Amino acid sequence: MEEQARKRVFSGVQPTGKVTLGNYLGAIRNWQPLQEQYDCIYCVVDLHSLTVTQVPAELRKNTMELVALYIACGIDPTKSTLFIQSHVHEHAELAWILDTIAYVGELNRMTQFKDKSRKHADNINMGLMNYPVLMASDILLYNADYIPVGKDQVQHVELTRDVAQRFNARYSDTFVVPQTLINKSGQSIKSLQDPSAKMSKSDPNDNALISLNDDADTIRRKLRRAVTDSDTCVRHGADKPAITNLLNIYTLCSGVSMSDAEKSFEGKGYGEFKDAVADAVISVVSPIQAEQKRLLADKAYLEGVLKTGAEQASYIASKTLAKVYRKVGLIPRVR
Ligand code: TRP
């Protein structure tokens, strides 16, 4: 196996609709500090987005917006590899090979597949079921050691591990078996309308989520409308799921500890508390939005970043795929 000086990190987000505050606090925000310690590869997984019906022009727009957002969130293209999945054709090709390794039964059991099948009952396409195999390809192509993702993706990383181990056992040691890197403060951010559900970008109720595209007034309005718990006390606990969620958002955005936050809101009502949460969220989100906007206006810069990123990614991916093709018994093309 290729020796690397630093451990490698790989992660990705789909350019589908809005990126929520939950995606940011639970995943993307944690990517920036990892750059100092690891060899990081961050991918905009556009092929994954095709598993639900997309409007092509919107997909293109969302993809560039997500590229700019990565950079605005502190991904430094001179430190990390930043690229678009479809620019590196090996992802789809390795997915085919891994399709012959993954079992229908295990894909059928994936929670996200079952959820999405329910939500998109008119379009349960093969891609939706194969989604975790493409994700395994993303990870295994780069011999990634650590995968920083939100809790909802842990099952897919487990599947990636199973597929890697099965392949290694059948064809000799080939893939690094990756581990999930769960952020310590990464409690998942819940829906503002139903604290038993995660804040999801595909929630049909727009008031349930804060999008990184929302302006300050919208953020404030959504937080004011957020559901609360029965008593009026601002404290966290299993019996206070709605306020706990708002406190989590507050502490993650303000940097204030949970106990200090609870103390500072003692005797204050939910109205004042929600406004403070809104201020904290806005102070995090608006500089990112300003930077994203500036970057989107500089198309030449973004294209340069993507060109370099795709070259760096292809270099690694092509070596892995060639090795895999050889191991499974495909004849190398003569050039
Ligand atoms: N499935 C992930 C999500 O929805 C996105 C993703 C695709 C990903 N490929 C990946 C995440 C590889 C980490 C590594 O959030």
Side-chain angles (χ1 to χ4, degrees):
M1 242 174 274
E2 182 195 0
E3 281 297 322
Q4 293 158 205
R6 300 208 286 180
K7 295 277 187 195
R8 186 168 282 156
V9 158
F10 185 100
S11 199
V13 168
Q14 295 187 62
T16 312
K18 338 160 210 212
V19 175
T20 69
L21 186 67
N23 298 131
Y24 175 69
L25 295 175
I28 304 175
R29 178 156 95 160
N30 310 309
W31 293 0
Q32 188 223 341
L34 296 173
Q35 298 179 113
E36 309 309 326
Q37 205 181 335
Y38 300 109
D39 174 17
C40 296
I41 305 180
Y42 296 124
C43 182
V44 172
V45 291
D46 55 347
L47 296 174
H48 277 104
S49 294
L50 297 175
T51 55
V52 304
T53 311
Q54 299 290 327
V55 177
E58 277 176 22
L59 179 59
R60 276 190 284 273
K61 180 166 174 282
N62 289 333
T63 301
M64 287 313 280
E65 284 185 3
L66 189 53
V67 170
L69 186 69
Y70 278 14
I71 304 172
C73 290
I75 306 306
D76 177 349
T78 65
K79 289 186 183 151
S80 301
T81 297
L82 194 174
F83 76 107
I84 295 177
Q85 186 187 32
S86 63
H87 288 180
V88 179
H89 56 79
E90 284 83 357
H91 290 248
E93 292 166 319
L94 181 60
W96 172 253
I97 302 292
L98 298 184
D99 268 341
T100 68
I101 306 287
Y103 297 127
V104 171
E106 61 193 347
L107 293 173
N108 214 0
R109 277 196 298 276
M110 293 286 120
T111 308
Q112 186 174 300
F113 173 63
K114 288 193 269 186
D115 281 355
K116 287 199 176 172
S117 300
R118 229 172 286 128
K119 270 188 205 144
H120 305 277
D122 55 338
N123 184 19
I124 307 176
N125 59 77
M126 278 309 299
L128 201 58
M129 190 173 188
N130 271 346
Y131 179 110
V133 178
L134 182 59
M135 178 162 161
S137 306
D138 298 341
I139 294 169
L140 299 179
L141 269 179
Y142 300 96
N143 287 318
D145 300 279
Y146 300 118
I147 315 301
V149 281
K151 284 206 184 88
D152 65 313
Q153 294 300 313
V154 170
Q155 195 180 37
H156 291 163
V157 178
E158 288 296 324
L159 179 97
T160 302
R161 292 169 57 86
D162 291 343
V163 166
Q165 278 161 345
R166 205 172 300 150
F167 187 99
N168 287 350
R170 196 174 298 172
Y171 296 109
S172 84
D173 214 13
T174 307
F175 295 124
V176 171
V177 180
Q179 289 173 38
T180 309
L181 202 63
I182 287 278
N183 178 264
K184 284 184 211 76
S185 61
Q187 325 87 325
S188 72
I189 302 300
K190 306 296 185 194
S191 153
L192 299 179
Q193 295 298 317
D194 172 10
S196 69
K198 85 160 195 173
M199 182 181 282
S200 161
K201 58 168 91 179
S202 54
D203 200 312
N205 179 356
D206 197 52
N207 283 324
L209 59 104
I210 291 174
S211 152
L212 287 200
N213 280 332
D214 285 343
D215 61 28
D217 289 346
T218 307
I219 292 173
R220 198 172 295 283
R221 178 173 45 78
K222 286 181 178 176
L223 283 163
R224 282 187 181 151
R225 287 189 188 167
V227 297
T228 51
D229 307 303
S230 47
D231 68 23
T232 55
C233 175
V234 179
R235 62 171 171 82
H236 80 287
D239 58 329
K240 304 266 296 177
I243 296 300
T244 301
N245 185 39
L246 294 179
L247 272 167
N248 281 338
I249 293 173
Y250 178 77
T251 56
L252 287 169
C253 289
S254 67
V256 176
S257 73
M258 183 59 86
S259 56
D260 285 352
E262 285 175 333
K263 248 176 256 150
S264 70
F265 294 114
E266 233 167 55
K268 292 185 179 154
Y270 283 162
E272 203 173 324
F273 169 56
K274 285 174 163 182
D275 269 338
V277 180
D279 289 338
V281 171
I282 292 163
S283 75
V284 166
V285 169
S286 44
I288 295 175
Q289 289 175 342
E291 179 62 2
Q292 184 192 28
K293 195 167 164 216
R294 189 189 69 76
L295 288 161
L296 282 168
D298 194 348
K299 209 169 162 228
Y301 169 74
L302 292 180
E303 282 175 355
V305 165
L306 291 173
K307 180 169 182 285
T308 307
E311 283 164 5
Q312 290 167 345
S314 290
Y315 177 77
I316 306 169
S318 59
K319 284 205 291 191
T320 308
L321 188 71
K323 192 187 206 179
V324 168
Y325 272 20
R326 182 163 42 76
K327 291 218 183 189
V328 301
L330 304 178
I331 292 185
R333 176 171 164 191
V334 178
R335 302 214 178 242

